[in-house]
Protein backbone atom coordinates (compact mmCIF):
# COMPACT_ATOMS: atom_id res chain seq x y z
CA UNK A 1 0.00 0.00 0.00
CA UNK A 2 1.29 3.43 -0.85
CA UNK A 3 0.83 7.06 0.11
CA UNK A 4 0.07 8.65 3.43
CA UNK A 5 -3.00 7.14 5.07
CA UNK A 6 -6.25 8.70 3.85
CA UNK A 7 -9.40 8.76 6.00
CA UNK A 8 -12.60 8.61 3.94
CA UNK A 9 -15.70 9.73 5.82
CA UNK A 10 -19.39 9.64 4.98
CA UNK A 11 -22.39 10.30 7.18
CA UNK A 12 -24.73 7.48 6.19
CA UNK A 13 -24.26 3.92 4.95
CA UNK A 14 -25.70 4.31 1.46
CA UNK A 15 -23.18 7.08 0.71
CA UNK A 16 -20.26 4.69 1.27
CA UNK A 17 -21.56 1.30 0.18
CA UNK A 18 -19.64 1.16 -3.11
CA UNK A 19 -16.34 2.16 -1.50
CA UNK A 20 -16.69 -0.46 1.20
CA UNK A 21 -17.29 -3.13 -1.49
CA UNK A 22 -14.16 -2.02 -3.37
CA UNK A 23 -11.92 -2.06 -0.27
CA UNK A 24 -9.24 -4.77 -0.25
CA UNK A 25 -7.61 -6.72 2.60
CA UNK A 26 -9.74 -4.96 5.12
CA UNK A 27 -10.09 -5.32 8.85
CA UNK A 28 -12.51 -3.51 11.08
CA UNK A 29 -11.82 -1.76 14.38
CA UNK A 30 -14.60 -0.65 16.72
CA UNK A 31 -13.74 2.63 18.45
CA UNK A 32 -15.90 5.29 20.09
CA UNK A 33 -19.09 3.63 18.88
CA UNK A 34 -17.98 3.63 15.22
CA UNK A 35 -16.61 0.95 12.89
CA UNK A 36 -13.33 1.97 11.24
CA UNK A 37 -12.46 -0.25 8.28
CA UNK A 38 -8.77 -0.28 7.33
CA UNK A 39 -7.52 -1.53 4.00
CA UNK A 40 -6.41 -0.61 0.50
CA UNK A 41 -8.36 1.20 -2.19
CA UNK A 42 -6.64 1.14 -5.58
CA UNK A 43 -3.33 0.68 -3.78
CA UNK A 44 -3.82 3.52 -1.32
CA UNK A 45 -3.77 2.97 2.45
CA UNK A 46 -7.22 4.11 3.63
CA UNK A 47 -9.59 4.03 6.58
CA UNK A 48 -13.32 4.12 5.82
CA UNK A 49 -15.81 5.21 8.45
CA UNK A 50 -19.40 6.31 8.79
CA UNK A 51 -19.48 9.26 11.16
CA UNK A 52 -23.25 9.44 11.56
CA UNK A 53 -25.38 12.51 11.04
CA UNK A 54 -24.56 15.91 12.52
CA UNK A 55 -21.64 18.09 13.55
CA UNK A 56 -20.75 16.45 16.88
CA UNK A 57 -20.69 12.99 15.30
CA UNK A 58 -18.51 14.30 12.48
CA UNK A 59 -16.11 16.12 14.82
CA UNK A 60 -15.64 13.10 17.08
CA UNK A 61 -15.00 10.79 14.13
CA UNK A 62 -12.56 13.22 12.49
CA UNK A 63 -10.58 13.44 15.72
CA UNK A 64 -10.35 9.64 15.95
CA UNK A 65 -9.23 9.32 12.32
CA UNK A 66 -6.38 11.74 12.95
CA UNK A 67 -5.36 10.80 16.49
CA UNK A 68 -6.18 7.10 16.79
CA UNK A 69 -5.84 5.92 13.19
CA UNK A 70 -2.98 8.17 12.04
CA UNK A 71 -4.72 9.57 8.96
CA UNK A 72 -2.53 12.21 7.28
CA UNK A 73 -5.39 13.57 5.18
CA UNK A 74 -9.17 13.28 5.00
CA UNK A 75 -11.81 13.10 2.32
CA UNK A 76 -15.55 13.46 2.91
CA UNK A 77 -18.04 12.16 0.36
CA UNK A 78 -21.78 12.37 0.79
CA UNK A 79 -24.96 14.19 -0.19
CA UNK A 80 -26.27 17.70 0.42
CA UNK A 81 -29.18 19.99 -0.33
CA UNK A 82 -28.78 22.63 -3.05
CA UNK A 83 -28.89 26.35 -2.21
CA UNK A 84 -27.19 28.01 -5.19
CA UNK A 85 -29.54 29.04 -8.01
CA UNK A 86 -28.01 26.77 -10.63
CA UNK A 87 -27.15 23.83 -8.35
CA UNK A 88 -29.48 20.97 -9.25
CA UNK A 89 -30.23 17.50 -7.93
CA UNK A 90 -27.54 15.16 -9.28
CA UNK A 91 -24.88 17.91 -9.53
CA UNK A 92 -21.65 17.60 -7.57
CA UNK A 93 -20.35 20.36 -5.29
CA UNK A 94 -16.71 20.49 -4.18
CA UNK A 95 -16.05 22.63 -1.09
CA UNK A 96 -13.53 25.46 -1.25
CA UNK A 97 -14.55 26.45 2.26
CA UNK A 98 -17.12 25.52 4.90
CA UNK A 99 -19.09 27.44 7.53
CA UNK A 100 -21.42 26.48 10.40
CA UNK A 101 -24.67 28.25 9.54
CA UNK A 102 -26.18 27.53 12.98
CA UNK A 103 -23.26 28.88 15.02
CA UNK A 104 -24.21 32.20 16.60
CA UNK A 105 -22.46 33.47 19.74
CA UNK A 106 -23.53 37.11 19.27
CA UNK A 107 -22.94 39.55 20.87
CA UNK A 108 -19.74 37.92 22.13
CA UNK A 109 -18.55 37.01 18.60
CA UNK A 110 -19.78 37.84 15.10
CA UNK A 111 -22.43 35.51 13.71
CA UNK A 112 -20.92 32.23 12.36
CA UNK A 113 -17.50 32.89 13.91
CA UNK A 114 -15.96 29.94 15.73
CA UNK A 115 -15.01 31.47 19.09
CA UNK A 116 -11.30 32.18 19.54
CA UNK A 117 -10.33 31.31 15.98
CA UNK A 118 -11.28 34.64 14.37
CA UNK A 119 -12.75 32.59 11.52
CA UNK A 120 -16.15 31.63 10.25
CA UNK A 121 -15.02 30.04 6.98
CA UNK A 122 -12.58 27.14 7.10
CA UNK A 123 -10.75 26.43 3.85
CA UNK A 124 -10.38 22.96 2.41
CA UNK A 125 -6.82 22.02 1.40
CA UNK A 126 -6.09 23.75 -1.92
CA UNK A 127 -4.05 20.97 -3.55
CA UNK A 128 -6.34 18.15 -2.45
CA UNK A 129 -9.40 20.14 -3.53
CA UNK A 130 -7.83 20.81 -6.91
CA UNK A 131 -7.17 17.09 -7.35
CA UNK A 132 -10.75 16.28 -6.32
CA UNK A 133 -12.10 18.88 -8.74
CA UNK A 134 -10.02 17.40 -11.56
CA UNK A 135 -11.32 13.93 -10.65
CA UNK A 136 -14.91 15.23 -10.70
CA UNK A 137 -14.37 16.87 -14.10
CA UNK A 138 -13.02 13.62 -15.49
CA UNK A 139 -15.98 11.60 -14.18
CA UNK A 140 -18.82 14.08 -14.76
CA UNK A 141 -17.44 16.53 -17.34
CA UNK A 142 -18.80 16.99 -20.84
CA UNK A 143 -18.39 13.85 -22.91
CA UNK A 144 -18.07 11.49 -19.94
CA UNK A 145 -20.45 8.53 -20.11
CA UNK A 146 -23.31 8.61 -17.61
CA UNK A 147 -22.82 6.48 -14.51
CA UNK A 148 -26.56 6.11 -14.09
CA UNK A 149 -28.93 4.14 -16.30
CA UNK A 150 -31.52 5.94 -18.41
CA UNK A 151 -34.47 4.68 -16.34
CA UNK A 152 -33.01 6.00 -13.09
CA UNK A 153 -32.09 9.30 -14.72
CA UNK A 154 -35.65 9.66 -15.87
CA UNK A 155 -37.11 8.62 -12.50
CA UNK A 156 -35.19 11.35 -10.70
CA UNK A 157 -35.41 13.85 -13.56
CA UNK A 158 -31.60 14.00 -13.63
CA UNK A 159 -29.74 16.18 -16.10
CA UNK A 160 -26.11 15.64 -17.03
CA UNK A 161 -24.32 16.41 -13.74
CA UNK A 162 -22.42 19.67 -13.39
CA UNK A 163 -19.49 20.21 -11.07
CA UNK A 164 -19.55 23.31 -8.83
CA UNK A 165 -16.95 24.59 -6.42
CA UNK A 166 -17.42 27.02 -3.54
CA UNK A 167 -18.89 27.51 -0.07
CA UNK A 168 -20.77 24.66 1.64
CA UNK A 169 -22.59 25.36 4.91
CA UNK A 170 -23.33 22.90 7.71
CA UNK A 171 -25.68 22.82 10.67
CA UNK A 172 -27.54 20.41 12.92
CA UNK A 173 -30.70 20.74 10.89
CA UNK A 174 -32.13 18.95 7.85
CA UNK A 175 -33.24 21.89 5.71
CA UNK A 176 -36.54 20.85 4.18
CA UNK A 177 -38.70 23.92 3.86
CA UNK A 178 -38.58 26.68 1.31
CA UNK A 179 -38.66 29.24 4.15
CA UNK A 180 -35.51 27.79 5.75
CA UNK A 181 -33.57 27.54 2.51
CA UNK A 182 -34.64 31.08 1.51
CA UNK A 183 -33.38 32.35 4.87
CA UNK A 184 -30.00 30.66 4.31
CA UNK A 185 -29.77 32.07 0.79
CA UNK A 186 -30.51 35.55 2.12
CA UNK A 187 -27.89 35.49 4.88
CA UNK A 188 -25.24 33.49 2.98
CA UNK A 189 -25.78 34.32 -0.69
CA UNK A 190 -22.64 32.53 -1.90
CA UNK A 191 -23.49 29.20 -0.24
CA UNK A 192 -23.86 26.49 -2.89
CA UNK A 193 -25.11 23.66 -0.69
CA UNK A 194 -26.19 22.77 2.84
CA UNK A 195 -25.44 19.64 4.83
CA UNK A 196 -24.85 18.57 8.43
CA UNK A 197 -21.18 17.56 8.90
CA UNK A 198 -18.63 19.22 6.62
CA UNK A 199 -17.84 22.37 8.61
CA UNK A 200 -17.24 20.27 11.73
CA UNK A 201 -14.70 18.14 9.84
CA UNK A 202 -13.12 21.38 8.61
CA UNK A 203 -12.81 22.84 12.10
CA UNK A 204 -11.16 19.74 13.56
CA UNK A 205 -8.80 19.42 10.56
CA UNK A 206 -7.89 23.07 11.06
CA UNK A 207 -7.02 22.42 14.71
CA UNK A 208 -4.76 19.49 13.82
CA UNK A 209 -3.32 21.00 10.63
CA UNK A 210 -4.65 18.01 8.68
CA UNK A 211 -5.46 18.62 4.99
CA UNK A 212 -8.93 17.60 3.82
CA UNK A 213 -11.28 17.85 0.84
CA UNK A 214 -15.03 17.39 0.57
CA UNK A 215 -17.44 16.52 -2.23
CA UNK A 216 -21.23 16.30 -2.05
CA UNK A 217 -23.76 15.04 -4.57
CA UNK A 218 -26.94 17.10 -4.49
CA UNK A 219 -29.76 14.89 -3.23
CA UNK A 220 -32.41 17.60 -2.89
CA UNK A 221 -33.03 21.32 -3.17
CA UNK A 222 -33.36 21.88 0.62
CA UNK A 223 -36.98 22.91 0.19
CA UNK A 224 -40.43 21.43 0.69
CA UNK A 225 -39.64 18.52 -1.64
CA UNK A 226 -36.39 17.64 0.19
CA UNK A 227 -37.68 14.43 1.77
CA UNK A 228 -39.01 12.90 -1.44
CA UNK A 229 -37.16 9.75 -2.44
CA UNK A 230 -34.11 10.77 -0.43
CA UNK A 231 -33.30 7.17 0.53
CA UNK A 232 -33.73 5.90 -3.00
CA UNK A 233 -31.56 8.66 -4.41
CA UNK A 234 -28.57 8.07 -2.14
CA UNK A 235 -28.86 4.32 -2.68
CA UNK A 236 -28.86 4.43 -6.47
CA UNK A 237 -27.13 7.67 -7.45
CA UNK A 238 -24.97 9.11 -4.66
CA UNK A 239 -23.14 5.88 -3.80
CA UNK A 240 -22.20 5.34 -7.46
CA UNK A 241 -21.00 8.94 -7.74
CA UNK A 242 -18.87 8.66 -4.57
CA UNK A 243 -17.28 5.44 -5.79
CA UNK A 244 -16.43 6.85 -9.23
CA UNK A 245 -15.11 10.08 -7.75
CA UNK A 246 -12.79 8.40 -5.25
CA UNK A 247 -11.56 5.96 -7.91
CA UNK A 248 -10.73 8.84 -10.26
CA UNK A 249 -8.99 10.67 -7.40
CA UNK A 250 -6.85 7.72 -6.31
CA UNK A 251 -6.22 6.40 -9.84
CA UNK A 252 -6.06 9.44 -12.12
CA UNK A 253 -6.47 8.48 -15.75
CA UNK A 254 -8.34 5.27 -14.89
N1 LIG B 1 -34.22 11.01 6.35
C1 LIG B 1 -32.83 10.82 6.08
C2 LIG B 1 -32.09 11.73 6.96
C3 LIG B 1 -30.83 12.11 6.37
S1 LIG B 1 -30.23 13.52 7.16
C4 LIG B 1 -32.48 9.36 6.18
O1 LIG B 1 -33.18 8.60 5.59
O2 LIG B 1 -31.49 8.95 6.81
C5 LIG B 1 -29.46 14.22 5.87
C6 LIG B 1 -28.05 13.77 5.58
O3 LIG B 1 -27.79 14.17 4.27
C7 LIG B 1 -27.03 14.47 6.45
O4 LIG B 1 -25.92 13.64 6.63
C8 LIG B 1 -26.69 15.73 5.64
O5 LIG B 1 -25.31 16.01 5.64
C9 LIG B 1 -27.17 15.45 4.22
N2 LIG B 1 -28.20 16.33 3.65
C10 LIG B 1 -28.79 16.10 2.45
N3 LIG B 1 -29.71 17.04 2.19
C11 LIG B 1 -29.73 17.90 3.24
C12 LIG B 1 -30.51 19.05 3.55
N4 LIG B 1 -31.47 19.50 2.73
N5 LIG B 1 -30.27 19.69 4.73
C13 LIG B 1 -29.31 19.22 5.57
N6 LIG B 1 -28.56 18.12 5.32
C14 LIG B 1 -28.75 17.45 4.17
Amino acid sequence: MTGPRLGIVSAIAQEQRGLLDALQSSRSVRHGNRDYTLGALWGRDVVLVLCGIGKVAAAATTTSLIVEFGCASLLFTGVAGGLGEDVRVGDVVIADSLLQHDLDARPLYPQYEVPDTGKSRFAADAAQTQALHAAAQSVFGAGSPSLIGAATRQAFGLHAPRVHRGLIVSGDQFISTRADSDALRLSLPDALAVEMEGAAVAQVCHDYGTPFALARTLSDRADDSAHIDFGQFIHTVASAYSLALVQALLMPGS
Side-chain angles (χ1 to χ4, degrees):
M1 282 185 279
T2 56
R5 178 173 280 181
L6 173 68
I8 305 180
V9 194
S10 298
I12 41 189
Q14 298 94 322
E15 294 170 334
Q16 204 168 62
R17 177 153 300 141
L19 288 170
L20 211 48
D21 290 345
L23 194 67
Q24 287 182 324
S25 54
S26 61
R27 70 186 170 93
S28 195
V29 178
R30 184 104 185 132
H31 175 83
N33 214 22
R34 311 265 187 289
D35 291 314
Y36 294 81
T37 310
L38 294 78
L41 264 184
W42 300 290
R44 179 77 179 263
D45 181 13
V46 301
V47 183
L48 297 189
V49 62
L50 296 177
C51 65
I53 293 170
K55 293 193 299 176
V56 174
T61 308
T62 301
T63 306
S64 294
L65 280 171
I66 297 168
V67 177
E68 303 291 334
F69 294 93
C71 290
S73 63
L74 258 65
L75 173 67
F76 195 110
T77 72
V79 295
L83 291 177
E85 287 292 313
D86 59 343
V87 181
R88 297 184 297 191
V89 171
D91 284 359
V92 172
V93 180
I94 312 268
D96 264 339
S97 63
L98 297 110
L99 167 151
Q100 296 176 46
H101 69 74
D102 58 351
L103 179 51
D104 189 353
R106 286 178 293 180
L108 305 178
Y109 298 89
Q111 188 176 15
Y112 311 124
E113 187 168 305
V114 176
D116 303 326
T117 64
K119 290 156 79 82
S120 55
R121 293 174 185 230
F122 288 72
D125 179 70
Q128 224 170 293
T129 298
Q130 188 53 42
L132 188 59
H133 195 191
Q137 298 284 17
S138 75
V139 175
F140 304 110
S144 307
S146 176
L147 295 172
I148 305 299
T152 305
R153 287 206 304 272
Q154 210 172 354
F156 289 110
L158 294 182
H159 306 264
R162 278 189 293 174
V163 180
H164 309 263
R165 185 161 158 183
L167 175 68
I168 294 183
V169 298
S170 315
D172 285 318
Q173 212 184 353
F174 185 67
I175 304 296
S176 59
T177 68
R178 180 74 205 205
D180 284 346
S181 51
D182 279 348
L184 281 177
R185 262 188 293 272
L186 197 64
S187 44
L188 295 161
D190 60 333
L192 296 179
V194 58
E195 36 87 314
M196 301 177 69
E197 300 84 19
V201 174
Q203 185 181 333
V204 174
C205 284
H206 171 262
D207 284 348
Y208 283 98
T210 302
F212 78 97
L214 180 143
R216 296 271 185 175
T217 301
L218 269 284
S219 56
D220 55 79
R221 279 288 304 168
D223 56 16
D224 303 283
S225 64
H227 59 287
I228 294 169
D229 271 344
F230 180 84
Q232 192 56 27
F233 180 86
I234 45 178
H235 182 70
T236 50
V237 181
S239 65
Y241 281 13
S242 285
L243 176 63
L245 196 53
V246 175
Q247 180 169 9
L249 179 71
L250 298 185
M251 266 204 326
S254 62

Coordinates of all heavy atoms in Angstrom, one line a residue, residues 79-125:
V79 N -23.9 13.4 0.5 CA -25.0 14.2 -0.2 C -25.3 15.5 0.5 O -24.9 15.7 1.7 CB -26.3 13.4 -0.4 CG1 -26.0 12.2 -1.3 CG2 -26.8 12.9 1.0
A80 N -25.9 16.4 -0.2 CA -26.3 17.7 0.4 C -27.5 18.2 -0.3 O -27.9 17.8 -1.4 CB -25.1 18.7 0.3
G81 N -28.1 19.3 0.3 CA -29.2 20.0 -0.3 C -28.7 21.2 -1.1 O -27.7 21.9 -0.6
G82 N -29.3 21.5 -2.2 CA -28.8 22.6 -3.0 C -29.3 24.0 -2.6 O -30.5 24.1 -2.3
L83 N -28.5 25.0 -2.5 CA -28.9 26.3 -2.2 C -28.7 27.3 -3.4 O -29.5 28.1 -3.7 CB -28.1 26.9 -1.0 CG -28.4 26.3 0.4 CD1 -27.5 26.9 1.4 CD2 -29.9 26.5 0.8
G84 N -27.5 27.2 -4.1 CA -27.2 28.0 -5.2 C -28.2 27.9 -6.3 O -28.7 26.8 -6.5
E85 N -28.5 29.0 -7.0 CA -29.5 29.0 -8.0 C -29.4 27.9 -9.0 O -30.4 27.3 -9.4 CB -29.4 30.4 -8.8 CG -29.9 31.6 -8.0 CD -31.5 31.5 -7.7 OE1 -32.2 31.2 -8.7 OE2 -31.9 31.7 -6.6
D86 N -28.2 27.7 -9.5 CA -28.0 26.8 -10.6 C -27.5 25.4 -10.2 O -26.9 24.6 -11.0 CB -27.1 27.4 -11.7 CG -25.7 27.7 -11.1 OD1 -25.6 27.7 -9.8 OD2 -24.8 27.9 -11.9
V87 N -27.6 25.1 -8.9 CA -27.1 23.8 -8.3 C -28.3 22.9 -8.3 O -29.3 23.1 -7.5 CB -26.5 24.0 -6.9 CG1 -26.0 22.7 -6.4 CG2 -25.4 25.0 -7.0
R88 N -28.3 21.8 -9.1 CA -29.5 21.0 -9.3 C -29.2 19.6 -8.7 O -28.1 19.2 -8.5 CB -29.8 20.8 -10.7 CG -30.2 22.2 -11.4 CD -30.7 22.0 -12.8 NE -29.6 21.5 -13.7 CZ -29.7 21.5 -15.0 NH1 -30.8 21.9 -15.6 NH2 -28.7 21.0 -15.7
V89 N -30.3 18.9 -8.4 CA -30.2 17.5 -7.9 C -29.4 16.7 -8.9 O -29.6 16.8 -10.1 CB -31.6 16.9 -7.8 CG1 -31.5 15.4 -7.5 CG2 -32.4 17.6 -6.6
G90 N -28.4 15.9 -8.4 CA -27.5 15.2 -9.3 C -26.2 15.9 -9.6 O -25.3 15.2 -10.1
D91 N -26.2 17.2 -9.3 CA -24.9 17.9 -9.5 C -23.9 17.5 -8.4 O -24.3 17.0 -7.4 CB -25.1 19.4 -9.5 CG -25.7 19.9 -10.8 OD1 -25.9 19.1 -11.7 OD2 -26.0 21.2 -10.9
V92 N -22.7 17.9 -8.6 CA -21.7 17.6 -7.6 C -21.0 18.9 -7.1 O -20.7 19.8 -8.0 CB -20.6 16.7 -8.1 CG1 -19.4 16.5 -7.2 CG2 -21.2 15.3 -8.4
V93 N -20.9 19.1 -5.8 CA -20.4 20.4 -5.3 C -19.1 20.0 -4.5 O -19.1 19.1 -3.7 CB -21.3 21.1 -4.4 CG1 -20.7 22.4 -3.8 CG2 -22.6 21.5 -5.1
I94 N -18.0 20.7 -4.9 CA -16.7 20.5 -4.2 C -16.5 21.7 -3.3 O -16.7 22.9 -3.7 CB -15.6 20.5 -5.2 CG1 -15.9 19.5 -6.4 CG2 -14.2 20.2 -4.5 CD1 -15.4 18.1 -6.2
A95 N -16.2 21.5 -2.0 CA -16.0 22.6 -1.1 C -14.7 23.3 -1.2 O -13.7 22.7 -1.2 CB -16.2 22.1 0.3
D96 N -14.7 24.6 -1.4 CA -13.5 25.5 -1.2 C -13.4 25.8 0.2 O -12.3 25.9 0.7 CB -13.7 26.8 -2.0 CG -13.0 26.7 -3.4 OD1 -12.2 25.8 -3.6 OD2 -13.4 27.5 -4.3
S97 N -14.6 26.1 0.8 CA -14.6 26.5 2.3 C -15.9 26.0 2.9 O -16.9 25.8 2.1 CB -14.3 28.0 2.5 OG -15.3 28.7 1.9
L98 N -15.9 26.0 4.2 CA -17.1 25.5 4.9 C -17.4 26.4 6.1 O -16.5 26.9 6.7 CB -17.0 24.1 5.4 CG -16.8 23.1 4.2 CD1 -15.4 22.5 4.1 CD2 -17.8 22.0 4.2
L99 N -18.7 26.6 6.4 CA -19.1 27.4 7.5 C -20.2 26.8 8.3 O -21.1 26.1 7.7 CB -19.5 28.8 6.9 CG -20.3 29.8 7.7 CD1 -20.0 31.2 7.2 CD2 -21.8 29.6 7.6
Q100 N -20.3 27.0 9.6 CA -21.4 26.5 10.4 C -22.5 27.5 10.4 O -22.4 28.5 11.1 CB -20.9 26.2 11.8 CG -19.9 25.1 11.9 CD -19.3 24.9 13.3 OE1 -20.1 24.8 14.2 NE2 -18.0 24.8 13.4
H101 N -23.6 27.2 9.7 CA -24.7 28.2 9.5 C -25.5 28.4 10.8 O -26.2 29.4 11.0 CB -25.6 27.9 8.3 CG -26.4 26.7 8.5 ND1 -27.5 26.7 9.3 CD2 -26.3 25.5 7.9 CE1 -28.1 25.5 9.2 NE2 -27.4 24.7 8.4
D102 N -25.4 27.4 11.7 CA -26.2 27.5 13.0 C -25.3 28.0 14.2 O -25.8 27.9 15.3 CB -26.9 26.2 13.3 CG -25.9 25.0 13.4 OD1 -24.7 25.2 13.1 OD2 -26.3 23.9 13.8
L103 N -24.1 28.4 13.9 CA -23.3 28.9 15.0 C -23.4 30.4 15.2 O -23.2 31.2 14.3 CB -21.8 28.5 14.7 CG -20.7 29.0 15.7 CD1 -21.1 28.5 17.1 CD2 -19.4 28.4 15.4
D104 N -23.9 30.8 16.4 CA -24.2 32.2 16.6 C -24.0 32.6 18.1 O -24.8 32.3 18.9 CB -25.7 32.5 16.2 CG -26.0 33.9 16.2 OD1 -25.2 34.8 16.6 OD2 -27.1 34.3 15.8
A105 N -22.8 33.1 18.4 CA -22.5 33.5 19.7 C -22.5 35.0 19.9 O -21.8 35.6 20.7 CB -21.1 32.9 20.1
R106 N -23.4 35.7 19.1 CA -23.5 37.1 19.3 C -24.1 37.4 20.7 O -25.0 36.6 21.1 CB -24.5 37.7 18.2 CG -23.8 37.7 16.8 CD -24.8 38.2 15.8 NE -25.9 37.3 15.6 CZ -26.9 37.5 14.7 NH1 -26.9 38.5 14.0 NH2 -27.8 36.6 14.6
P107 N -23.8 38.5 21.3 CA -22.9 39.5 20.9 C -21.5 39.3 21.2 O -20.7 40.2 21.0 CB -23.5 40.7 21.6 CG -24.0 40.2 22.9 CD -24.5 38.8 22.6
L108 N -21.1 38.1 21.7 CA -19.7 37.9 22.1 C -18.8 37.8 20.9 O -17.7 38.3 20.9 CB -19.6 36.6 23.0 CG -20.5 36.5 24.2 CD1 -20.4 35.2 24.9 CD2 -20.2 37.7 25.1
Y109 N -19.3 37.2 19.8 CA -18.6 37.0 18.6 C -19.5 37.3 17.4 O -20.7 37.1 17.5 CB -18.0 35.6 18.5 CG -17.1 35.2 19.6 CD1 -17.6 34.6 20.8 CD2 -15.7 35.4 19.5 CE1 -16.7 34.3 21.8 CE2 -14.8 35.1 20.5 CZ -15.3 34.5 21.7 OH -14.5 34.2 22.7
P110 N -18.9 37.7 16.3 CA -19.8 37.8 15.1 C -20.5 36.5 14.8 O -20.0 35.5 15.0 CB -18.8 38.2 14.0 CG -17.5 38.7 14.7 CD -17.5 37.9 16.0
Q111 N -21.7 36.7 14.1 CA -22.4 35.5 13.7 C -21.5 34.6 12.9 O -20.8 35.1 12.0 CB -23.7 35.9 12.9 CG -24.6 34.8 12.6 CD -25.9 35.2 11.9 OE1 -25.9 36.3 11.3 NE2 -26.9 34.3 11.8
Y112 N -21.6 33.3 13.1 CA -20.9 32.2 12.4 C -19.5 32.0 12.8 O -18.8 31.1 12.4 CB -20.9 32.4 10.8 CG -22.2 32.7 10.2 CD1 -22.5 33.8 9.4 CD2 -23.3 31.8 10.4 CE1 -23.7 34.1 8.9 CE2 -24.6 32.1 9.8 CZ -24.7 33.2 9.1 OH -25.9 33.5 8.5
E113 N -18.9 33.0 13.6 CA -17.5 32.9 13.9 C -17.3 31.8 15.0 O -18.0 31.7 15.9 CB -17.0 34.2 14.4 CG -15.4 34.2 14.6 CD -14.9 35.6 14.9 OE1 -15.1 36.5 14.0 OE2 -14.2 35.8 15.9
V114 N -16.3 30.9 14.7 CA -16.0 29.9 15.7 C -15.1 30.6 16.8 O -14.1 31.2 16.5 CB -15.2 28.8 15.1 CG1 -14.7 27.8 16.2 CG2 -16.0 28.1 14.0
P115 N -15.7 30.7 18.0 CA -15.0 31.5 19.1 C -13.5 31.2 19.2 O -13.1 30.0 19.1 CB -15.7 31.0 20.4 CG -17.1 30.7 19.9 CD -16.9 30.1 18.5
D116 N -12.8 32.2 19.3 CA -11.3 32.2 19.5 C -10.5 31.7 18.3 O -9.3 31.4 18.5 CB -11.0 31.4 20.8 CG -11.6 32.0 22.0 OD1 -11.8 33.2 22.1 OD2 -12.1 31.2 22.9
T117 N -11.1 31.6 17.2 CA -10.3 31.3 16.0 C -10.3 32.5 15.1 O -9.4 32.6 14.2 CB -10.9 30.2 15.1 OG1 -12.2 30.6 14.7 CG2 -11.1 28.9 16.0
G118 N -11.2 33.5 15.3 CA -11.3 34.6 14.4 C -11.8 34.3 13.0 O -11.7 35.0 12.0
K119 N -12.3 33.1 12.9 CA -12.8 32.6 11.5 C -14.2 32.1 11.5 O -14.6 31.4 12.5 CB -11.9 31.4 11.1 CG -10.5 31.8 10.7 CD -9.6 30.5 10.9 CE -9.7 29.6 9.7 NZ -8.8 30.0 8.6
S120 N -14.9 32.3 10.4 CA -16.1 31.6 10.3 C -16.1 30.6 9.1 O -16.8 29.7 9.0 CB -17.3 32.6 10.0 OG -16.9 33.5 8.9
R121 N -15.2 30.9 8.1 CA -15.0 30.0 7.0 C -13.7 29.3 7.1 O -12.7 29.9 7.3 CB -15.0 30.9 5.7 CG -16.4 31.5 5.4 CD -16.4 32.4 4.3 NE -17.7 33.1 4.2 CZ -18.4 33.2 3.1 NH1 -17.9 32.7 1.9 NH2 -19.6 33.8 3.1
F122 N -13.8 28.0 7.0 CA -12.6 27.1 7.1 C -12.3 26.6 5.7 O -13.1 25.9 5.1 CB -12.8 26.0 8.1 CG -12.8 26.6 9.5 CD1 -13.9 27.3 10.0 CD2 -11.7 26.3 10.4 CE1 -13.9 27.9 11.3 CE2 -11.7 26.8 11.7 CZ -12.8 27.6 12.1
A123 N -11.1 26.8 5.2 CA -10.7 26.4 3.9 C -10.4 24.9 3.8 O -9.7 24.4 4.7 CB -9.6 27.3 3.4
A124 N -10.9 24.3 2.7 CA -10.4 23.0 2.4 C -9.0 23.1 1.9 O -8.5 24.2 1.4 CB -11.3 22.3 1.4
D125 N -8.2 22.0 1.9 CA -6.8 22.0 1.4 C -6.8 22.3 -0.1 O -7.5 21.6 -0.9 CB -6.2 20.7 1.7 CG -4.7 20.7 1.2 OD1 -3.9 21.3 1.7 OD2 -4.5 19.9 0.2

